[in-house]
Amino acid sequence: MFTTFPSLESTFPLWLQISISAAWVLLIILIAWLVSRFTDSEPEIIRKIVHIGTGNVILLAWLLNIPAIVGITAAILASLITLLSYIFPILPGINSVGRQSLGTFFYAVSIGILVAVFWDLQQPQYAALGILTMAWGDGLAGLIGRRFGQHKYQLFGSNKSWEGSLTVTLVSLLVCILILLATQGNSWEIWLISIVVAIVATALEAISFLGIDNLTVPIGSAVLAYGLVQILALN
């Protein structure tokens, strides 16, 4: 069953659905620019505003039941723009993470893949689960890890903190629980699935060389959650 919100879907025409989603992304970019222009915030803060804010567009896509082709096309365009931004200063500050990274590109690619797969399966909630796990889990982990991360570890050349990793676990758990409870109902299986997905998401986020976690975390979380729901016959 396609989990959507028919009342809003039937209210807004396609052009307005696209306009609302585009306006949200532009608003986030504007906020990031204003913070960068008028405050002394670190580049990482600016990047996380965009990282977290734009990820929430998946909720609008789900809420409005935007056609898959729109989401896929937007993801392709975003991927091309981010690739160009590594050569030309199109997105100054957003790709500057203090290390060589393709994270922004992988982020856009993951959105396109998840929309393509789970819109086709009529299960958009899993695309939302994967993207929000990455947007909020990784986004807040980076901020908390940089400010409060006292216990460091290194994995495949990436510097991490246990405080940041714990943040990924807790935020991923909350995202999974909220989405699965809303779409599947309350059961012990939902809580078990959420715990497993949160642990796996944390492990995937820890392996983040070249920003690959922006691809593995959302796709891995979404596919794992969907697979476990099918295995436990909750649909």
Side-chain angles (χ1 to χ4, degrees):
M1 180 179 179
F2 201 153
T3 306
T4 186
F5 300 84
S7 58
L8 290 183
E9 176 189 351
S10 59
T11 301
F12 298 141
L14 178 59
W15 69 266
L16 185 55
Q17 295 174 15
I18 296 174
S19 298
I20 291 172
S21 300
W24 174 262
V25 174
L26 291 175
L27 175 62
I28 296 301
I29 294 175
L30 175 61
I31 291 173
W33 179 82
L34 290 173
V35 172
S36 174
R37 178 69 175 80
F38 297 106
T39 72
D40 296 325
S41 298
E42 299 177 1
E44 181 70 0
I45 301 293
I46 310 304
R47 197 178 77 87
K48 292 305 182 183
I49 290 175
V50 176
H51 181 90
I52 295 173
T54 55
N56 289 311
V57 76
I58 194 69
L59 286 176
L60 286 174
W62 176 18
L63 178 70
L64 299 172
N65 192 20
I66 289 177
I69 188 62
V70 175
I72 295 169
T73 301
I76 292 173
L77 291 176
S79 300
L80 293 175
I81 291 172
T82 54
L83 282 179
L84 289 174
S85 73
Y86 291 109
I87 304 173
F88 306 103
I90 300 174
L91 302 172
I94 295 179
N95 289 323
S96 302
V97 295
R99 63 184 185 275
Q100 186 179 11
S101 174
L102 293 172
T104 310
F105 168 70
F106 288 139
Y107 196 19
V109 170
S110 67
I111 292 176
I113 292 174
L114 289 177
V115 168
V117 172
F118 288 107
W119 255 246
D120 183 62
L121 292 174
Q122 298 187 337
Q123 299 288 334
Q125 65 268 31
Y126 295 104
L129 184 152
I131 295 302
L132 293 179
T133 294
M134 185 64 211
W136 286 96
D138 177 75
L140 292 178
L143 295 176
I144 291 175
R146 286 172 66 89
R147 183 166 180 80
F148 303 106
Q150 299 298 318
H151 303 87
K152 306 290 186 179
Y153 68 94
Q154 190 174 75
L155 192 62
F156 296 105
S158 297
N159 294 314
K160 298 289 182 177
S161 71
W162 289 108
E163 291 83 357
S165 292
L166 179 60
T167 300
V168 177
T169 304
L170 295 178
V171 173
S172 299
L173 179 62
L174 180 61
V175 168
C176 292
I177 287 174
L178 290 177
I179 290 180
L180 293 180
L181 284 179
T183 57
Q184 299 293 332
N186 190 13
S187 67
W188 68 266
E189 292 95 341
I190 291 304
W191 292 85
L192 176 61
I193 290 171
S194 298
I195 292 171
V196 172
V197 171
I199 292 173
V200 171
T202 303
L204 292 173
E205 194 277 336
I207 305 172
S208 57
F209 62 93
L210 295 179
I212 193 67
D213 56 318
N214 281 7
L215 187 67
T216 59
V217 171
I219 294 177
S221 299
V223 170
L224 179 60
Y226 176 75
L228 290 175
V229 167
Q230 305 310 307
I231 290 172
L232 294 175
L234 296 182
N235 279 341

